[in-house]
Amino acid sequence: MPEKKIILVGGGGHCRSCIDVIETGKTFSIAGIVEQPGKENSGPVLGYPVIGCDTDFENLKKHYDYALITVGQIGSSNVRQRLFTLLKQAGFVFPVVVSPFAYVSKHARIGEGSVIMHHAVVNAGAAVGRNCILNTRCLIEHDAGIGDHTHISTAAVLNGESEIGCGSFVGSNAIIVQGAKLPDNFFFKAGSLIAGEKAGKAMKDNKL
């Protein structure tokens, strides 16, 4: 068993996917799940016990050094941002968690606390912020930029030199064309294509 123990914060569907990535990678052993208040006595998640709630971070830090935020994100990133701040204040270390079935170029940069799921691809020169989700089979092309606390959903494509702001969501199978620049807190719905004049309109409306 790996010596590094990690707590997972949030016990829903995204947590289950993260468990699979961590188990496959074999870098960390999962100490347990941290839930929201009122769910401390909920059942285990894929065999891992619930060991506290998000008011217990200071006490949990006495026993564990590493944490990963496993609350999902569709739309607002506020919950993930709040948890990131609380865990930082408690002194936790946020590793970058990468599936062994993903590809991340050695010339890419990935911020702390980000998770890269199975079969995602991050190419040379890409820069990914902190506390991001790069979900299954997404493609982040060369020199693309992703702000902190952003979720790139399943099979979404960010083409070369495109940029996504902080706290944003890019839906499944969405395609962002080469060089498009999108703002913070942007919601980009599943299956959309953003290009040309549409990109400028999205910048004004902050949605598509």
Side-chain angles (χ1 to χ4, degrees):
M1 291 289 290
E3 293 183 2
K4 294 180 179 179
K5 292 185 177 182
I6 190 168
I7 63 169
L8 307 184
V9 183
H14 180 58
C15 179
R16 291 193 287 275
S17 293
C18 289
I19 287 172
D20 193 66
V21 168
I22 293 168
E23 288 180 337
T24 306
K26 303 185 187 303
T27 300
F28 294 94
S29 62
I30 298 168
I33 314 299
V34 179
E35 271 285 12
Q36 58 185 310
K39 290 189 175 182
E40 300 94 325
N41 298 318
S42 59
V45 180
L46 298 185
Y48 296 101
V50 174
I51 57 175
C53 68
D54 57 20
T55 57
D56 299 325
F57 288 153
E58 289 189 6
N59 184 56
L60 288 167
K61 180 59 181 67
K62 297 174 183 176
H63 306 281
Y64 309 109
D65 291 325
Y66 298 94
L68 181 70
I69 296 170
T70 52
V71 173
Q73 176 184 334
I74 298 177
S76 173
S77 65
N78 289 345
V79 173
R80 287 179 58 86
Q81 291 195 47
R82 178 182 66 83
L83 291 170
F84 187 85
T85 298
L86 290 173
L87 288 160
K88 267 285 190 186
Q89 290 172 345
F92 280 95
V93 175
F94 292 101
V96 174
V97 175
V98 181
S99 165
F101 302 118
Y103 173 76
V104 178
S105 169
K106 68 178 182 180
H107 303 293
R109 291 182 289 113
I110 311 295
E112 61 180 346
S114 290
V115 59
I116 301 176
M117 313 300 280
H118 298 318
H119 303 291
V121 174
V122 184
N123 270 328
V128 177
R130 304 174 300 163
N131 191 32
C132 290
I133 303 169
L134 302 190
N135 222 321
T136 307
R137 294 190 182 278
C138 71
L139 170 60
I140 313 302
E141 259 301 348
H142 68 86
D143 305 304
I146 298 171
D148 297 340
H149 316 295
T150 286
H151 179 186
I152 308 300
S153 198
T154 50
V157 176
L158 273 64
N159 280 295
E161 299 177 350
S162 58
E163 294 183 8
I164 306 294
C166 297
S168 295
F169 173 81
V170 177
S172 297
N173 291 298
I175 299 174
I176 298 173
V177 300
Q178 177 102 4
K181 315 294 183 188
L182 303 178
D184 294 344
N185 303 311
F186 181 82
F187 184 87
F188 189 37
K189 68 183 180 182
S192 298
L193 170 67
I194 186 164
E197 293 181 1
K198 232 176 191 181
K201 183 178 186 302
M203 288 287 288
K204 293 179 182 178
D205 296 347
N206 206 27
K207 64 181 180 179
L208 184 65

